[in-house]
Amino acid sequence: MESLFAEQDFLEKNSGNNFADIILPVPIPRMFTYQIPPLLKPQIQIGQRVIVQFGKKKVLTGIVGKVHNKPPQAYEAKPILDILDDQPSVNPLQIRFWVWMAAYYFCHIGEVMFAALPSGLRLSSESKIQLNPNFDTETSKYPLDVREEKILEALEHKPELSYEDCEKILGVKTIHPILKSLVAKEAILIFEKVQEKYTPKVETRIRLTKEISESKSALEAVFEGVAGKPKQESILLKFLRDVPVFQKPKLNEKGVDKATLLEEGDSESSLKTLIKNGVFESFKHVVNRIDDEKAVREAYELSSSQATAFEEIKTHFESKQSVLLHGVTGSGKTEIYIKLIQEVMESGSQVLLLLPEIALTTQIVSRLKKVFGSQMGVYHSKYSDNERVEVWNGVLSGRFSFVVGVRSSIFLPFDSLGLLIVDEEHEPSYKQFDPAPRFHARDAATMLAYFHQARTLLGSATPSFESYFNATQGKYGYVEINHRFGDARMPEYHLADLSADRKKNLLKLDSTRMMREKIQAALDKQQQVLIFQNRRGYSPYIQCEDCGWTGQCVQCDVSLTYHQFAEEMRCHYCGYKEKVPQSCPACGSTQLTTMGMGTERIEECLSLLFPEARMGRMDLDTTRNKYGYQRLLDEFGAGQIDILVGTQMITKGLDFGKVTVVGIWDGDRILNFPDFRAGERAYQQITQVAGRAGRRDIKGQVVIQSRNPDNELFEKVIRGEYYEFFRQEMFDRKKFYYPPYVKLVKITTRHADFKVAEKAAHALHREMATIQAKKIVLGPEKGIIARIKNQYQYESMIKLDRGGNTLAIFKENLAKILEELQSRPEFRSVRWVVDVDPS
Ligand code: ADP
Ligand code: ZN
Ligand code: ZN
C-alpha cells in the first residue's frame, strides 16, 4: 500500500509550484489538474477549498489535494478561479487518507470527500449565489454597473442562482469577475450557502436592566407598577426566584434562558411589555450543543492482571504498530483503555476510540465521560449535523484531544493521533455497506494510524479471524486476559434440547423447561434476565394456512415482515408497507397465521409464562428515535424491567450487575448463516450475549435452546476453546480459498431489466477472465435477493491471491474494464457496485 504514495510529496505550503490537483465532487475516479495563477501562488495550500471551472459550463468548489509542477498530458489546465479559505479546511494527512481510501476501496475520491465532511461543512456540488440580506441598493456606497444590476434584479425573483444561470442572464462566458465585484460591493453572497448549513445554537436570554438590577428602590417601584397585573408579576417573581439579583449580581448578568422562563405557561406578551418598559432586556447567547461535563472520577487502580496486560501492550507497541487485546467479557478492557488514553494524551497526542454504532449511546460513554470530562468529544451517527460540526471544530481547535465515535469518526480532522483503539473489533457493523466508500473502519483505522505514525489497539473478547490470524502470524502483538475482573466468574452454560422437550410434552410457548426454570429462579431472587433472538434471516411473516400465500414486496423479491404492533407488513429492504389483509388475497381464506418468531412474539410468550414479570423489548422498532435505546437501558439499569428481550442490540458491551440469566431463544438460527463466516459469527455472537450474564459476584447462567444441542460449535463456545475453533475453521478457509488466505472483491451488477443485468454480468465475466492476476472468479449468480428496489442483481465474487500486488493489478484492470463496458450503449444505465473486503 505504501507504494501508492512513494512519489507523492505532501507539501503544506506551496513554493513555486504551477499546478494543483483538485478533488471535485464528481463521479470520476481521480483528481483534476488546474493551473495556479501567479497571484494565488503564495496563498495556496493543500486542503483549502477553491473554485474551478469544470467542463464547459460548470463551476465547482473542490479541495486542493496536491500541488506540483507536472502539466497534464491530455489537456490544457484551466486556471483556479479563486481560493475560498484562508486556512485549509482539511489537513494533508486527511487528504492522504482519502487518497488511500479511494484507491483501496475502489471508489471516487469525491465520494470519500462526501463521506468525510459533515454536511454542514460540505461543499455544494454547484456553487450558487444569493442576495446579501444586508445589501440595500438605495444606501450602498458602491455604484453598480448595468450587468451587475441585471444579476441583482434576477435575484429579486429567484432566491439563488447558479453560475450557469448568471451566464445565461448576461449572455457572457466570463462571469467570475462580475460576481467577484458584486461580492466586493457586498451585494451578493457566494458559496455562503455551504457554510450556512452550520448554524450555531443561539439562546435568547433575559436579564434585569442595569437600572433595575442596581437599585432596590427601582425594583420596588417596578413591583408597585405591576400590582394588579398578575401576568407580569408572575414572570417577575419567577425570575427573582431563580436569580437573587442583589445577592448574586453575576447571575443576573448571565441571564435566564427565555424559553425556560416562559416554560410554566407565562405569557410572552407580558414579558414583552416588561422589556418595553425597561425592566428586562433580552440578549442572544451562543451555546455549545455538546455538554461540557466535568470529569468526576480518577481512573481505577488496575488489577494485577490488567496491569500486566497494560505493560505487555506498551512493550509490543515499541516494535509493532498494532496490538490485539483478547480479553474475555468482563475482564476490564475499558479500564486498560482509560490508562492508555491518559498516557497518550499527557504526551500531547490525540486519541480516537472507535465503538460499534449502538454501543455508543450506552454505559461505556458515560464511564469515559466521568474520567475525561470535557476533553472528550463524542461523535455519534444519531447526532444532528450541527452537533457533528461542533465535534469537528472541537478537534480542529484542540478542545477535544480525545474522541469516542462511530466508524465515520475516522474522518475527523486529527493532526497528531498517537493511539487508535477499536473496541469490539470483530463487530460486523464496522463495515460500511452503502454508499461508497465501502470501508471497514477497523482496517481504515489501522491505515490512518500508519499515516500518523500512531499505534492501534484492537480489543475484543472474540477477535475477528482476520485480526487473530495477524496475531498468530506475529504481525500484531497479542495480549490475552482470560479471566474476569474481581470476583466475577465466567457464566455456566446449559443446552436445552427443543426436540426432546417437545417429545416429552414439556414445551410451552416455545420455551423449554430449562429456560423456564432458570428464568423463574432469577425472578424469585429479584435478578434480571436477558433474552436474545437473532435478527438476521428471522423475521415473522404472514402466511395463508390454506394455500401457502405470503405477502411479498412489490419492488423486491422478499417476503414482507409482519409487525404486530402496527398490524402491518413491511419490506426491510425498501421500506414498502401495507396493512395485513383480512383474508388471503390469493384464495380468500381467513386462516392467516404468523410464521417465524420475532422479538415481539417472544415477549408475548414470556408475558404469558411469567405474568408477574415486567417486560421490555429492544429491537429496531422500539429504538427508532434518538433516545429510545437509552431510555430502555436506563429503565433496565434502574431495575424497572425484569426481562428484556432483544436482538443484537442487547449484546453490545452492556454491563449490568443484576443480570444473572441470559437466554438464547433459538440457538440454531445463529448457526445457519449462508456465509463462509457463519461459524466465526456464531461463536462470537453466543459468547458476547453470554458475556452479559453474571458480571459481578453471582455466577451467570446461560440457556441455549436448540434442536441440535450436540453441535460442535456449542461445545467449543462452552469450553471457551477459541483457538481450537479458529484452527479448525482456518483449515476450511485455506482449503476453499477464503479470507484471510485470499482477498475478496464482490461486484454487483444492477439493472431494472432482468435481461440487461444478466448480459452485463456475463460480459463483465468475459472481460475479467483476461486479467493477468492470480485469481478465482465465481459467478455471476443471481443475488441472494434477486431484485431490490426494482433492480435485478447479479453478484460476482473474486478471490485474489494475497501476495505481491495482485489486488492492485486487479483493480487497475477492473477500472478499465468497467469504463469500457459502461461506454457500450446497451450497458449505459447498468450500475456496477464494487465492494473490496465484503463482509
Ligand atoms: P470488558 O470491557 O472487558 O467486558 P469492563 O471494562 O466493562 O469489561 O469491566 C467489567 C466491570 O469491571 C465493569 O463494571 C468495570 O467498571 C469493572 N472494573 C474493571 N476494572 C476495574 C478496576 N481496575 N477497578 C474497579 N472496577 C473495575
Ligand atoms: Zn390463501
Ligand atoms: Zn421492498
Side-chain angles (χ1 to χ4, degrees):
M1 282 185 244
E2 287 91 305
S3 65
L4 258 176
F5 309 101
E7 313 156 67
Q8 296 214 15
D9 53 341
F10 290 92
L11 294 176
E12 286 202 35
K13 290 263 184 208
N14 180 40
S15 48
N17 281 311
N18 289 317
F19 297 97
D21 289 351
I22 311 299
I23 306 168
L24 292 174
V26 293
I28 299 172
R30 58 184 171 89
M31 297 197 227
F32 297 85
T33 305
Y34 285 84
Q35 191 196 323
I36 311 171
L39 266 177
L40 298 182
K41 267 193 201 172
Q43 223 180 312
I44 199 159
Q45 294 178 59
I46 286 177
Q48 275 170 330
R49 296 179 301 167
V50 293
I51 313 163
V52 295
Q53 191 179 344
F54 184 75
K56 286 225 156 49
K57 287 249 169 92
K58 271 192 193 144
V59 172
L60 298 176
T61 29
I63 283 183
V64 180
K66 188 178 169 183
V67 287
H68 57 86
N69 250 324
K70 255 187 266 161
Q73 309 257 298
Y75 55 96
E76 185 165 349
K78 293 193 192 98
I80 290 172
L81 298 176
D82 213 344
I83 298 178
L84 285 178
D85 306 313
D86 293 336
Q87 289 305 313
S89 300
V90 176
N91 70 44
L93 276 170
Q94 285 177 281
I95 299 208
R96 200 172 165 194
F97 184 51
W98 295 1
V99 171
W100 167 78
M101 187 172 275
Y104 186 80
Y105 289 106
F106 200 86
C107 63
H108 314 322
I109 190 158
E111 289 172 321
V112 180
M113 176 167 85
F114 194 81
L117 296 175
S119 59
L121 291 176
R122 209 178 280 155
L123 315 163
S124 62
S125 60
E126 265 180 71
S127 315
K128 296 264 167 72
I129 66 165
Q130 66 182 63
L131 215 48
N132 182 341
N134 299 324
F135 181 76
D136 187 344
T137 339
E138 311 291 311
T139 59
S140 171
K141 300 189 280 254
Y142 314 102
L144 302 177
D145 70 21
V146 190
R147 292 191 296 187
E148 290 169 351
E149 295 265 17
K150 246 185 166 168
I151 298 282
L152 290 194
E153 209 183 283
L155 281 172
E156 302 276 333
H157 303 291
K158 239 180 131 183
E160 55 181 44
L161 296 175
S162 67
Y163 268 50
E164 274 175 61
D165 295 336
C166 296
E167 284 173 7
K168 271 192 211 126
I169 292 162
L170 299 182
V172 295
K173 278 257 143 39
T174 45
I175 197 78
H176 192 64
I178 300 164
L179 295 184
K180 209 164 177 183
S181 155
L182 277 170
V183 172
K185 292 174 183 175
E186 290 166 12
I188 60 165
L189 298 174
I190 215 166
F191 318 110
E192 290 299 313
K193 201 183 160 203
V194 174
Q195 284 174 346
E196 277 180 4
K197 274 192 181 166
Y198 169 69
T199 45
K201 185 170 173 184
V202 180
E203 258 178 25
T204 305
R205 300 184 78 90
I206 305 292
R207 66 185 163 209
L208 290 170
T209 56
K210 209 165 160 48
E211 284 139 48
I212 308 291
S213 68
E214 283 175 356
S215 146
K216 280 195 179 163
S217 57
L219 185 63
E220 273 160 25
V222 170
F223 268 105
E224 274 163 33
V226 298
K229 293 169 187 152
K231 285 183 183 169
Q232 293 183 32
E233 195 175 23
S234 153
I235 294 177
L236 206 55
L237 284 171
K238 185 161 174 225
F239 182 90
L240 290 170
R241 192 184 69 205
D242 294 342
V243 183
V245 59
F246 299 114
Q247 289 95 320
K248 296 184 178 166
K250 277 255 151 52
L251 268 187
N252 185 54
E253 258 167 61
K254 275 176 75 181
V256 169
D257 174 31
K258 182 178 157 194
T260 317
L261 187 62
L262 297 178
E263 142 192 289
E264 283 160 28
D266 282 305
S267 100
E268 172 138 28
S269 64
S270 306
L271 177 62
K272 272 197 184 136
T273 312
L274 287 166
I275 293 173
K276 204 174 72 202
N277 296 341
V279 181
F280 285 121
E281 60 188 10
S282 79
F283 61 102
K284 303 274 183 207
H285 174 75
V286 175
V287 287
N288 278 328
R289 285 194 173 76
I290 299 153
D291 308 340
D292 236 353
E293 276 172 58
K294 292 221 166 53
V296 293
R297 78 159 170 95
E298 301 273 298
Y300 292 133
E301 190 83 30
L302 294 184
S303 70
S304 74
S305 58
Q306 283 172 322
T308 309
F310 176 71
E311 292 303 330
E312 282 174 9
I313 292 169
K314 290 204 296 182
T315 309
H316 279 305
F317 276 157
E318 285 166 17
S319 59
K320 298 205 155 96
Q321 191 206 298
S322 303
V323 172
L324 174 61
L325 173 60
H326 183 186
V328 294
T329 54
S331 56
K333 294 185 285 295
T334 315
E335 298 303 321
I336 299 176
Y337 299 158
I338 289 174
K339 287 276 193 211
L340 285 166
I341 295 165
Q342 283 180 330
E343 277 202 8
V344 175
M345 283 169 79
E346 272 158 29
S347 77
S349 294
Q350 297 161 319
V351 182
L352 172 62
L353 169 58
L354 290 174
L355 292 176
E357 196 75 24
I358 198 75
L360 206 58
T361 35
T362 62
Q363 298 171 313
I364 181 160
V365 172
S366 53
R367 265 165 80 185
L368 293 166
K369 263 270 171 224
K370 289 198 179 106
V371 180
F372 294 100
S374 56
Q375 285 176 293
M376 175 179 115
V378 180
Y379 201 67
H380 194 276
S381 60
K382 284 198 177 168
Y383 271 7
S384 71
D385 202 60
N386 281 324
E387 285 169 312
R388 290 200 209 195
V389 173
E390 288 195 13
V391 181
W392 181 284
N393 289 337
V395 172
L396 268 185
S397 71
R399 178 176 161 209
F400 303 130
S401 45
F402 166 38
V403 174
V404 180
V406 292
R407 61 172 183 246
S408 52
S409 59
I410 55 174
F411 294 119
L412 286 168
F414 298 106
D415 56 12
S416 62
L417 279 169
L419 175 67
L420 289 98
I421 302 173
V422 185
D423 191 31
E424 312 282 0
E425 64 87 32
H426 63 278
E427 259 298 313
S429 63
Y430 278 127
K431 169 84 180 178
Q432 168 146 328
F433 289 103
D434 228 7
R438 298 179 170 78
F439 64 99
H440 196 297
R442 175 196 61 220
D443 303 343
T446 308
M447 200 60 200
L448 186 61
Y450 168 77
F451 290 148
H452 281 263
Q453 299 297 303
R455 302 283 175 256
T456 317
L457 180 65
L458 310 176
S460 176
T462 51
S464 66
F465 280 7
E466 275 86 351
S467 300
Y468 204 65
F469 182 74
N470 282 330
T472 58
Q473 303 281 307
K475 191 173 162 200
Y476 291 177
Y478 179 71
V479 176
E480 192 176 4
I481 313 175
N482 47 26
H483 56 87
R484 289 186 153 177
F485 173 77
D487 295 330
R489 282 159 294 166
M490 294 309 282
E492 186 179 334
Y493 284 88
H494 308 273
L495 280 165
D497 190 335
L498 282 164
S499 322
D501 270 29
R502 171 161 285 127
K503 278 182 208 136
K504 290 185 235 155
N505 247 335
L506 290 172
L507 216 55
K508 275 193 216 158
L509 294 161
D510 301 299
S511 69
T512 51
R513 186 165 72 178
M514 175 67 85
M515 185 68 93
R516 292 192 299 273
E517 281 177 3
K518 291 293 174 194
I519 294 176
Q520 189 61 58
L523 294 176
D524 288 346
K525 287 179 240 152
Q526 271 80 49
Q527 295 161 356
Q528 288 174 305
V529 177
L530 278 178
I531 301 291
F532 172 76
Q533 174 71 322
N534 192 335
R535 185 183 65 233
R536 198 156 133 193
Y538 199 40
S539 323
Y541 56 96
I542 300 281
Q543 190 166 44
C544 170
E545 282 186 16
D546 290 329
C547 77
W549 168 90
T550 57
Q552 296 287 318
C553 176
V554 295
Q555 317 187 68
C556 315
D557 269 354
V558 294
S559 315
L560 295 171
T561 301
Y562 172 53
H563 288 250
Q564 188 181 34
F565 182 69
E567 269 299 304
E568 268 174 4
M569 305 187 295
R570 289 189 208 150
C571 171
H572 279 194
Y573 286 87
C574 74
Y576 170 84
K577 60 184 177 194
E578 59 182 65
K579 284 272 163 212
V580 175
Q582 297 291 318
S583 57
C584 171
C587 76
S589 158
T590 50
Q591 300 299 308
L592 298 177
T593 51
T594 321
M595 306 293 289
M597 188 178 316
T599 40
E600 233 172 331
R601 167 106 171 102
I602 297 174
E603 183 188 11
E604 203 180 276
C605 291
L606 287 167
S607 13
L608 292 172
L609 292 165
F610 305 99
E612 318 279 83
R614 292 162 300 171
M615 302 290 309
R617 172 164 62 90
M618 180 175 289
D619 53 26
L620 281 179
D621 275 344
T622 60
T623 57
R624 226 169 271 285
N625 72 34
K626 187 168 172 181
Y627 301 108
Y629 183 71
Q630 193 59 50
R631 197 176 307 131
L632 270 168
L633 285 186
D634 288 346
E635 281 175 32
F636 193 60
Q640 291 156 0
I641 294 175
D642 301 312
I643 306 178
L644 182 62
V645 183
T647 55
Q648 271 77 333
M649 290 179 191
I650 63 169
T651 66
K652 309 282 159 73
L654 299 189
D655 182 41
F656 288 111
K658 284 178 74 187
V659 175
T660 56
V661 171
V662 164
I664 295 176
W665 200 256
D666 190 344
D668 304 330
R669 290 286 166 180
I670 304 180
L671 301 180
N672 303 329
F673 289 163
D675 186 303
F676 71 95
R677 275 185 236 271
E680 178 187 351
R681 291 273 154 81
Y683 191 109
Q684 289 165 345
Q685 212 161 63
I686 298 173
T687 309
Q688 292 289 346
V689 186
R692 304 308 120 207
R695 290 171 71 89
R696 301 290 186 276
D697 38 356
I698 306 163
K699 186 167 178 154
Q701 308 287 329
V702 178
V703 182
I704 305 176
Q705 301 196 131
S706 167
R707 277 164 218 90
N708 323 283
D710 301 331
N711 190 299
E712 216 189 324
L713 188 135
F714 291 137
E715 189 192 305
K716 289 272 183 296
V717 170
I718 291 170
R719 296 208 189 142
E721 291 174 343
Y722 190 73
Y723 182 65
E724 291 304 310
F725 180 66
F726 168 80
R727 272 201 8 212
Q728 269 174 22
E729 292 273 310
M730 280 295 124
F731 185 76
D732 284 349
R733 297 247 185 131
K734 192 169 187 174
K735 190 162 129 202
F736 298 112
Y737 300 105
Y738 275 112
Y741 292 100
V742 298
K743 279 271 173 195
L744 283 186
V745 175
K746 184 168 108 184
I747 307 178
T748 311
T749 307
R750 286 191 192 147
H751 196 269
D753 183 331
F754 166 75
K755 289 225 175 72
V756 177
E758 188 180 30
K759 200 170 168 200
H762 280 102
L764 172 65
H765 268 247
R766 278 193 302 278
E767 297 300 327
M768 283 196 300
T770 65
I771 301 178
Q772 299 289 322
K774 263 177 117 176
K775 64 176 189 320
I776 302 169
V777 179
L778 304 177
E781 303 242 14
K782 269 192 201 155
I784 297 183
I785 295 148
R787 189 174 54 128
I788 295 182
K789 293 186 193 168
N790 280 327
Q791 296 276 310
Y792 287 91
Q793 321 224 84
Y794 276 84
E795 283 174 5
S796 313
M797 192 66 92
I798 299 96
K799 297 174 173 180
L800 294 157
D801 189 73
R802 285 189 73 95
N805 43 1
T806 310
L807 179 63
I809 292 170
F810 174 78
K811 285 188 290 195
E812 210 181 298
N813 283 285
L814 180 65
K816 286 185 199 140
I817 290 171
L818 291 179
E819 200 176 338
E820 190 273 321
L821 287 175
Q822 219 125 34
S823 72
R824 297 189 201 170
E826 54 180 334
F827 297 148
R828 191 155 295 148
S829 48
V830 171
R831 248 196 98 209
W832 274 286
V833 175
V834 179
D835 191 352
V836 178
D837 301 338
S839 62

